[in-house]
Amino acid sequence: MTAQAGARSLRRSEKRAVALLGIPTLALALTSTIVTTYTPVVAREFVESSAVIGMIIGLEGLVALWLPLVVGVWSDRLDTRFGGRLPFLLAATPMVIGGLVAMAIMGSVAVLAVAAFVFFAGYFIAYEPYRALYPDAVGEEVAGRAQATQAVWRGAGTGIALGGGGLLLAWGQAAPFIAGAIIYALCIGVFSFVLIRRGVPRRPRNDQHAGMKEVFAIVRGDSKLKAFLVANALWELSLAALKTFVVLYVTVEMGFSQSASSGIIGGVAVLVLFAAMASGPLADRFGSSTVLRWALPIHGLGFLVPLIFPQTWVVSLAVPFIALGGGVIMALPYAVLIPLMPDNERGALTGYYSVSRGMGIWLGPLLAGIAVSVAGSYQAVWGVCAAATLLSLWPLRRL
């Protein structure tokens, strides 16, 4: 994407569309963060192994390896009075809420695993068609700013979950999950009502939509799509590893209380939000890949500081640099992919995007859990994050 392509401002209709599309992002980010961050904290009551916890949270990645692509392709083909995307979001809502309610009462590994699977299945049934509404509604020449705005909503949901979840957890095991279910239901209800009233964005008409085999054929013939698969998987690996064990690191390793950790993590989330907001205009001016090339070395090297130096004051110096890269990674990967998408296969390629996410989301908690078990310290998580981030610079050169 060239600087000239990003010169124009978002039109009024695009601003309204982006603002509305952010509501489900907040709900999805909030609930997934509650599940992946606070389930390990609660599960420590009946699961001793960090590796087992990582495997259960890694179910998100296993589901993401196949379900998003199936649903994404289907949403390209479906045509109803509510469009091809919104019906999936509505159908998935009971699954998401049901999974959260089951986690609220979990007391065994079996219940936790089933609840996690149901939640993640609902999450990806909703997420892929919903995410494809972005290129349906907003042109790729302003994709960086559109995705940065989406990342602000995602960061807000993540920040609320990280900051408020710990406080709710002090009230009881069920509180974060029940609160997440209520917020999710309200957000999806409001979004669906307003979207139907204003008119659902329509994708380009084409009766020859690609199936999964055709999508894989497109990817095999495109070196940039293959490079994106690897790079995005590594970015998500880093984020998933950190999100799964960050609360345990702050409370167990650094010795802060649950309420204090919520304040600390919430403060970091604010920095991530500012970084995400700033990355959008920069991406539309210089290109999304270019901004990622600037930010990732700082992000990756920032992880090495707490890995090597456990002192609290040293860790605090590295946090702004880690947050900077985190905001960029939250904002720009999908903006990198949008120009590579055929107009009539946005749902399918959005599914492909989540397959790459799934690889990282599956491996991140698993590798971090193994690293913690081997090292005997949650400090080992930083090493997993640093390695994944710095390795991603290699495929990023091709984008």
Side-chain angles (χ1 to χ4, degrees), residues 373-399:
S373 295
V374 172
S377 169
Y378 291 106
Q379 193 175 350
V381 173
W382 300 110
V384 175
C385 296
T389 303
L390 295 175
L391 283 172
S392 72
L393 293 172
W394 174 70
L396 182 60
R397 294 181 305 170
R398 302 188 179 188
L399 297 173

Side-chain angles (χ1 to χ4, degrees), residues 135-230:
D136 285 353
V138 182
E140 70 176 58
E141 66 270 23
V142 291
R145 276 165 289 174
Q147 289 304 300
T149 303
Q150 195 258 0
V152 170
W153 284 94
R154 181 183 175 188
T158 301
I160 292 169
L162 290 173
L167 298 176
L168 289 171
L169 197 61
W171 290 1
Q173 169 185 313
F177 303 100
I178 296 299
I182 293 171
I183 292 172
Y184 186 88
L186 290 173
C187 287
I188 300 305
V190 169
F191 171 77
S192 301
F193 176 78
V194 175
L195 187 67
I196 292 170
R197 287 285 300 270
R198 291 189 174 182
V200 179
R202 295 283 178 169
R203 60 187 179 276
R205 292 287 182 183
N206 190 328
D207 295 329
Q208 302 298 319
H209 295 294
M212 286 187 287
K213 290 183 179 180
E214 288 78 7
V215 171
F216 285 121
I218 293 171
V219 172
R220 282 197 302 269
D222 192 318
S223 61
K224 288 188 176 181
L225 283 175
K226 288 187 286 189
F228 179 86
L229 176 75
V230 176

Side-chain angles (χ1 to χ4, degrees), residues 47-58 109 112 366 369-370 373:
V47 181
E48 294 183 1
S49 171
S50 296
V52 171
I53 293 174
M55 289 175 64
I56 293 173
I57 299 302
V109 174
L112 172 58
L366 177 60
I370 293 172
S373 295

